[in-house]
Amino acid sequence: MKASELRGKDKAGLEKELSELLKAQFSLRMQIATQQLNNTAQLKKVRRDIARVKTVINSKDGQQ
């Protein structure tokens, strides 16, 4: 996911995206805890996507 894609969404869409990413992060953490996750790089990708979404949300709040 790119920041330019996120900037095109409205705040409600960004909030929905954030909640989906947080659920995905929780799922990945549980898979790590139960030794079921093979590709641990997924967790890093999701963490960075969460940070990207939060950054865009905060920048939209600052503009208004």
Side-chain angles (χ1 to χ4, degrees), residues 22-39:
L22 289 172
K23 287 178 187 176
Q25 183 186 31
F26 178 77
S27 174
L28 289 171
R29 284 191 354 242
M30 291 301 110
Q31 288 179 17
I32 286 176
T34 58
Q35 307 268 324
Q36 294 177 345
L37 186 64
N38 294 328
N39 186 5

Side-chain angles (χ1 to χ4, degrees), residues 33-63:
T34 58
Q35 307 268 324
Q36 294 177 345
L37 186 64
N38 294 328
N39 186 5
T40 56
Q42 287 177 328
L43 188 61
K44 181 178 179 180
K45 181 183 178 301
V46 170
R47 274 197 344 253
R48 287 185 177 196
D49 286 344
I50 289 171
R52 220 173 264 127
V53 170
K54 286 183 176 183
T55 300
V56 172
I57 289 173
N58 286 335
S59 69
K60 284 188 181 267
D61 285 344
Q63 290 176 355

